[in-house]
């Protein structure tokens, strides 16, 4: 518990402008990286007396699960990788550029760019204005959108369908009116109402959020295999904007320099590649969402390719979310359970249409508890 306490203390101090986490990271971060956690998982497996590991990992847990298979392939019984991270990303910037491209895909889906292509162009123009020296967009009705409000709108555009605060549904009508007719009044009213109604919606604790962000930084920066210099981080702006003309400037400003000045010892993770031969035919179940705003579907495809013949894939369509098994998507839950009970029987690839269930999802193992993948800090 000591790292949790000291991470909280340093993160709170930084938030108040009274210090930072540099010393704490130097002391603890080398033991918080993914390589250390994978070794701890294997120690736990051994302590419990299991000859081989059965593992279900969501989000960051997929990095741990894939690394475990890479490090201890002979000790794998069954591994589910639900909403995979990239198996080869070498640093924070590579991860974040992947995120940025994923956000663009979600926006295209929700705003139906295929039918309304002008929405994409106008949204990009608004974002460019907000992230220029002007930092304010004025619509044809004379209403102004500040950079802060615009950033919230962009975040809400890719918010998860399972979010308890229902950010996307709160601003959907006003955003479409802005993009179709260049009128802001409805969107501004929707933002105001949402902020009032969501103020006490769900559990929120600033110290928990600050500690979670500090831990996320410790893990990501410790894991870096090819860390970037400050100049390289600055030069990455083009990569962000190439990934998304809409989200690139915002995501670059918020994430590119996360590991700048990192002074703690790193413990670089290996790329997870060519896994089929290493696993000797063992099956790995990989689950990905076409419109996952946290871990984009391209990472699912990359993970499947790198596990080769060992990979079985289940895809979730028409649903913007993150973490899919055991959230009442029946075809996902049935295949996950079947695999965990009998990992030697081949799971047939399937695409599950989740749109009809998007309003009733919950953590089916404990319906009154938020699904463990839904409030992930860092993405």
């Amino acid at each position: 518990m000591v790292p949790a306490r000291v991470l909280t203390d340093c993160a709170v101090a930084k938030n108040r402008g009274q210090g930072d986490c540099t010393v704490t990271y130097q002391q603890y971060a080398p033991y918080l990286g993914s390589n250390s956690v994978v070794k701890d998982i294997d120690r736990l497996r051994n302590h419990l007396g299991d000859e081989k590991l059965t593992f279900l990992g969501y989000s960051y847990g997929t990095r741990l699960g894939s690394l475990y298979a890479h490090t201890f392939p002979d000790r794998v019984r069954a591994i589910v990788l639900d909403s995979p991270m990239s198996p080869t990303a070498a640093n924070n910037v590579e991860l974040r550029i992947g995120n940025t491209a994923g956000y663009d895909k979600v926006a295209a889906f929700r705003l139906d760019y295929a039918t309304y292509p002008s929405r994409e162009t106008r949204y990009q123009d608004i974002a460019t204005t907000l992230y220029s020296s002007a930092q304010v967009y004025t619509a044809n009705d004379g209403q102004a959108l500040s950079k802060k409000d615009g950033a919230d709108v962009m975040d809400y555009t890719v918010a998860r369908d399972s979010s308890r605060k229902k950010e996307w549904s709160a601003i959907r009508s006003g955003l479409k009116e802005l993009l179709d007719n260049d009128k802001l009044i409805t969107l501004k009213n929707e933002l105001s109402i949402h902020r009032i109604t969501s103020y006490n919606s769900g559990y929120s604790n600033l110290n928990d959020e600050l500690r979670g962000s500090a831990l996320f930084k410790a893990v990501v920066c410790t894991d870096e295999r090819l860390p970037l210099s400050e100049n390289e981080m600055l030069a990455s702006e083009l990569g962000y904007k190439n990934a998304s003309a809409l989200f690139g400037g915002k995501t670059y400003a918020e994430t590119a320099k996360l590991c700048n000045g990192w002074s703690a010892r790193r413990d670089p993770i290996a790329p997870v590649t060519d896994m089929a031969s290493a696993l000797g035919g063992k099956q790995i179940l990989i689950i990905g969402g076409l419109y996952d705003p946290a871990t984009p579907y391209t990472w699912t495809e990359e993970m499947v390719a790198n596990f080769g013949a060992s990979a079985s894939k289940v895809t979730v369509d028409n649903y913007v979310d993150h973490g899919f098994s055991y959230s009442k998507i029946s075809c996902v839950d049935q295949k996950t359970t079947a695999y965990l009970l009998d990992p030697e029987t081949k799971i047939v690839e399937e695409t599950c249409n989740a749109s009809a269930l998007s309003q009733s999802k919950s953590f089916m193992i404990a319906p009154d508890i938020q699904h463990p993948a839904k409030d992930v800090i860092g993405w």
Side-chain angles (χ1 to χ4, degrees):
M1 292 302 291
V2 172
R5 186 177 69 245
V6 297
L7 272 175
T8 303
D9 290 345
C10 77
V12 169
K14 181 180 180 182
N15 188 57
R16 293 174 177 170
Q18 298 172 348
D20 62 31
C21 292
T22 300
V23 173
T24 302
Y25 286 145
Q26 290 172 346
Q27 185 174 3
Y28 293 106
Y31 310 103
L32 298 174
S34 298
N35 287 330
S36 293
V37 179
V38 164
K39 293 172 186 174
D40 287 342
I41 291 171
D42 193 57
R43 293 186 186 101
L44 180 60
R45 173 203 59 77
N46 184 61
H47 178 76
L48 294 173
D50 288 347
E51 181 181 353
K52 296 187 176 183
L53 180 74
T54 300
F55 181 91
L56 167 58
Y58 298 99
S59 193
Y60 169 67
T62 68
R63 172 172 281 189
L64 298 176
S66 60
L67 281 172
Y68 187 94
H70 180 270
T71 308
F72 304 110
D74 57 327
R75 301 175 193 176
V76 170
R77 175 186 172 272
I79 290 180
V80 179
L81 305 177
D82 187 332
S83 306
M85 289 181 67
S86 167
T88 60
N91 52 56
N92 169 65
V93 165
E94 286 189 17
L95 284 172
R96 292 307 194 167
I97 289 176
N99 287 143
T100 305
Y103 301 152
D104 219 49
K105 186 173 183 178
V106 173
F109 169 66
R110 280 184 162 163
L111 294 168
D112 192 6
Y113 289 165
T115 305
Y116 306 97
S118 62
R119 290 178 177 175
E120 180 178 16
T121 304
R122 176 161 284 158
Y123 208 170
Q124 290 173 2
D125 289 344
I126 292 169
T128 299
T129 301
L130 293 175
Y131 283 84
S132 68
S133 57
Q135 297 193 5
V136 63
Y137 176 81
T138 303
N140 276 342
D141 58 1
Q143 296 291 317
L145 184 70
S146 69
K147 181 178 178 179
K148 179 182 182 303
D149 285 350
D152 283 347
V153 170
M154 293 169 73
D155 287 340
Y156 296 172
T157 300
V158 298
R160 302 171 193 180
D161 283 331
S162 65
S163 170
R164 288 171 286 188
K165 295 186 178 182
K166 304 299 179 186
E167 295 94 337
W168 167 239
S169 60
I171 59 101
R172 176 172 49 199
S173 296
L175 177 57
K176 290 179 179 179
E177 181 177 335
L178 171 62
L179 300 180
D180 291 340
N181 302 310
D182 201 26
K183 294 181 179 179
L184 253 172
I185 186 65
T186 301
L187 179 60
K188 292 191 73 171
N189 288 338
E190 288 176 346
L191 276 174
S192 297
I193 293 169
H194 176 71
R195 285 167 176 162
I196 293 169
T197 57
S198 67
Y199 182 75
N200 291 316
S201 174
Y203 172 79
S204 178
N205 182 287
L206 178 60
N207 286 3
D208 283 353
E209 292 176 3
L210 293 172
R211 179 180 63 251
S213 296
L215 177 59
F216 179 85
K217 177 175 179 176
V219 173
V220 169
C221 299
T222 298
D223 282 356
E224 288 193 315
R225 185 168 64 256
L226 296 174
L228 302 182
S229 67
E230 182 174 9
N231 285 339
E232 289 172 323
M233 293 177 193
L234 293 172
S236 70
E237 182 175 9
L238 181 60
Y240 279 86
K241 292 182 176 179
N242 285 340
S244 170
L246 173 58
F247 292 96
K250 176 180 182 294
T251 312
Y252 166 77
E254 294 174 349
T255 68
K257 297 181 72 174
L258 177 72
C259 298
N260 188 38
W262 186 254
S263 59
R265 177 171 58 85
R266 286 186 166 87
D267 187 8
I269 61 171
V272 177
T273 60
D274 302 319
M275 289 301 300
S277 59
L279 287 167
K282 293 191 188 83
Q283 180 179 206
I284 303 297
L285 180 60
I286 301 172
I287 304 168
L290 281 172
Y291 305 107
D292 187 331
T295 53
Y297 190 69
T298 53
W299 290 352
T300 296
E301 295 174 318
E302 184 184 7
M303 190 72 82
V304 169
N306 289 5
F307 274 87
S310 288
S312 293
K313 181 178 69 171
V314 176
T315 299
V316 178
D317 195 4
N318 292 313
Y319 189 50
V320 177
D321 214 337
H322 181 63
F324 302 99
S325 58
Y326 303 113
S327 57
K328 293 187 176 179
I329 306 173
S330 58
C331 75
V332 177
D333 296 341
Q334 291 167 6
K335 287 180 177 293
T336 305
T337 300
Y339 167 73
L340 289 171
L341 291 174
D342 179 13
E344 295 184 4
T345 297
K346 182 69 174 177
I347 298 298
V348 177
E349 182 172 330
E350 184 174 351
T351 296
C352 302
N353 187 337
S355 59
L357 302 171
S358 63
Q359 301 304 315
S360 61
K361 306 237 186 0
S362 64
F363 186 33
M364 64 173 293
I365 295 174
D368 295 330
I369 297 175
Q370 180 77 343
H371 192 290
K374 304 306 181 187
D375 285 334
V376 175
I377 293 174
W379 300 116

